[in-house]
């Protein structure tokens, strides 16, 4: 599956299983589907809702714009998830004491209970994934992920640079 065929060498096009975007997309899809099944069964929440609750748990109180910035999740998806969590009584949206324009989201007791119900299973899943790697592989894996994110950032910054016309 990972062999490079003569055609690949001639064209310089790697096979699908050696393309970073394809492999990460495929893995991402499988991880999302698995997490969604676990969350639905253990807590009756969606993956989008879980992601919001995780951010609130990490920060206690957080704005939608901070969630978008930190997670790179689509703004509309974050808004919909917060709205559905609020309607379910799992989060409360509060106006910031320092800036009336800023709305922060915090978990309600019911939201905390639901989050804590799902957390052990999600942590077990994380452990099961990482335990497939030895310590050096896990360190290398997370280092590689950081390098790929850095490469994307560098490419995006390069796309934003204005190239001067030759005089």
């Amino acid at each position: 599956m990972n062999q490079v065929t003569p055609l690949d060498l001639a064209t310089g096009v790697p096979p699908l299983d050696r393309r970073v975007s394809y492999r990460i997309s495929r893995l991402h899809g499988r991880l999302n589907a698995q997490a969604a099944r676990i969350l639905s069964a253990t807590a009756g929440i969606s993956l989008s809702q879980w992601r919001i609750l995780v951010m609130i748990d990490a920060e206690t109180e957080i704005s939608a714009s901070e969630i978008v910035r930190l997670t790179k999740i689509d703004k509309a998806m974050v808004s919909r998830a917060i709205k559905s969590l609020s309607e379910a009584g799992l989060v409360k949206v509060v106006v910031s004491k320092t800036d009336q324009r800023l709305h922060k989201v915090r978990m309600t007791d019911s939201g905390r209970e639901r989050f804590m119900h799902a957390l052990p299973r999600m942590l077990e899943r994380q452990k099961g994934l990482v335990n497939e790697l030895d310590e050096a592989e896990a360190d290398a894996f997370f280092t590689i992920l950081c390098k790929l994110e850095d490469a994307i950032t560098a490419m995006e910054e390069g796309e934003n640079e204005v190239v001067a016309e030759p005089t």
Side-chain angles (χ1 to χ4, degrees), residues 133-148:
L133 309 172
D134 64 35
E135 189 175 341
E137 289 171 330
D139 289 344
F141 175 71
F142 288 107
T143 298
I144 289 166
L145 290 176
C146 288
K147 286 185 174 189
L148 290 173

Side-chain angles (χ1 to χ4, degrees), residues 6-18:
L7 176 62
D8 299 323
L9 292 175
T11 64
V13 176
L16 279 176
D17 67 332
R18 302 293 282 182

Side-chain angles (χ1 to χ4, degrees), residues 5-152:
T5 65
L7 176 62
D8 299 323
L9 292 175
T11 64
V13 176
L16 279 176
D17 67 332
R18 302 293 282 182
R19 295 183 193 180
V20 174
S21 293
Y22 170 76
R23 291 299 297 270
I24 290 175
S25 178
R26 191 173 80 177
L27 180 62
H28 181 255
R30 293 188 68 197
L31 288 169
N32 283 351
Q34 181 189 55
R37 284 191 306 272
I38 292 167
L39 293 166
S40 178
T42 61
I45 60 175
S46 71
L47 181 55
S48 297
Q49 291 172 322
W50 171 254
R51 289 176 174 153
I52 301 304
L53 293 176
V54 166
M55 295 305 298
I56 296 169
D57 181 62
E59 302 292 329
T60 307
E61 193 175 86
I62 190 168
S63 70
S65 60
E66 288 172 298
I67 293 170
V68 169
R69 183 180 60 78
L70 293 169
T71 64
K72 306 299 186 213
I73 298 172
D74 178 68
K75 183 179 179 180
M77 184 182 291
V78 169
S79 293
R80 285 191 303 273
I82 290 172
K83 182 178 181 191
S84 67
L85 286 166
S86 179
E87 289 171 352
L90 303 179
V91 301
K92 182 176 181 175
V93 180
V94 294
V95 177
S96 170
K97 293 175 184 174
T98 58
D99 183 348
Q100 296 296 311
R101 298 168 297 170
L102 185 61
H103 294 89
K104 299 258 187 171
V105 184
R106 70 169 65 133
M107 266 190 254
T108 62
D109 290 343
S110 179
R112 170 72 46 202
E113 183 179 313
R114 193 89 60 101
F115 176 80
M116 294 307 291
H117 193 71
L119 184 61
R121 181 63 183 97
M122 293 302 283
L123 292 174
E124 178 184 310
R125 173 180 176 260
Q126 170 75 15
K127 185 177 177 183
L129 291 167
V130 175
N131 280 347
E132 287 298 311
L133 309 172
D134 64 35
E135 189 175 341
E137 289 171 330
D139 289 344
F141 175 71
F142 288 107
T143 298
I144 289 166
L145 290 176
C146 288
K147 286 185 174 189
L148 290 173
E149 283 191 288
D150 290 346
I152 291 167

